Amino acid sequence: MSSIPVQQHSAAAPTSSTRLVSARRLIVKIGSALIGDPETGEIRGSWLIMDVVRFFARGQQVIIVTSDAVAVGSSHFNHLDRSLRVEEEQTAAAIGQVQLMRAYEQSFKRLGFGVRPAKI
């Protein structure tokens, strides 16, 4: 049996959860695996919204970075039996981004919060 040396520190380093609670601004990346249903291209439920509302309640600013606009918008091209061309992917991204923003806006609005695009 091997042993692992353990060092004791006089001051404990802050844990990830402590840093999360004390942060003034959070950037949340929501990837495509969480947003769009791969079969239908539909946007999944607003499961994340309650977490973001909790951050707001703590006085934290939340910036959501989202992906999957192409996949969400691609449902409008489902009649094609080939890969999308570049200009079709760009169109799908534009359509999908609008749909994603609308979904976020409606979810937050139900809870009394507004959504606005970040200034770049």
Side-chain angles (χ1 to χ4, degrees):
M1 178 186 275
S2 62
S3 63
I4 301 172
V6 176
Q7 292 182 341
Q8 219 172 7
H9 298 284
S10 57
T15 64
S16 295
S17 60
T18 302
R19 289 188 301 233
L20 181 66
V21 170
S22 63
R24 290 185 338 192
R25 178 178 300 139
L26 300 171
I27 299 174
V28 179
K29 168 67 166 84
I30 306 172
S32 57
L34 301 175
I35 293 177
D37 183 308
E39 297 295 318
T40 65
E42 295 291 317
I43 300 170
R44 292 189 178 137
S46 58
W47 54 269
L48 175 76
I49 303 305
M50 294 309 296
D51 287 335
V52 172
V53 167
R54 278 193 286 277
F55 300 146
F56 285 147
R58 291 196 302 233
Q60 294 172 302
Q61 178 187 20
V62 181
I63 298 170
I64 297 175
V65 178
T66 187
S67 61
D68 214 29
V70 173
V72 170
S74 291
S75 64
H76 294 278
F77 294 93
N78 60 3
H79 63 281
L80 299 177
D81 52 350
R82 60 171 169 73
S83 297
L84 296 179
R85 296 188 310 260
V86 171
E87 60 272 12
E88 292 168 334
E89 281 190 3
Q90 291 170 335
T91 302
I95 293 168
Q97 188 62 40
V98 170
Q99 291 176 318
L100 287 170
M101 287 304 295
R102 187 179 310 126
Y104 284 122
E105 184 176 36
Q106 290 171 348
S107 295
F108 281 114
K109 189 176 184 179
R110 281 192 291 272
L111 299 170
F113 291 90
V115 173
R116 66 177 169 82
K119 293 179 183 176
I120 298 175

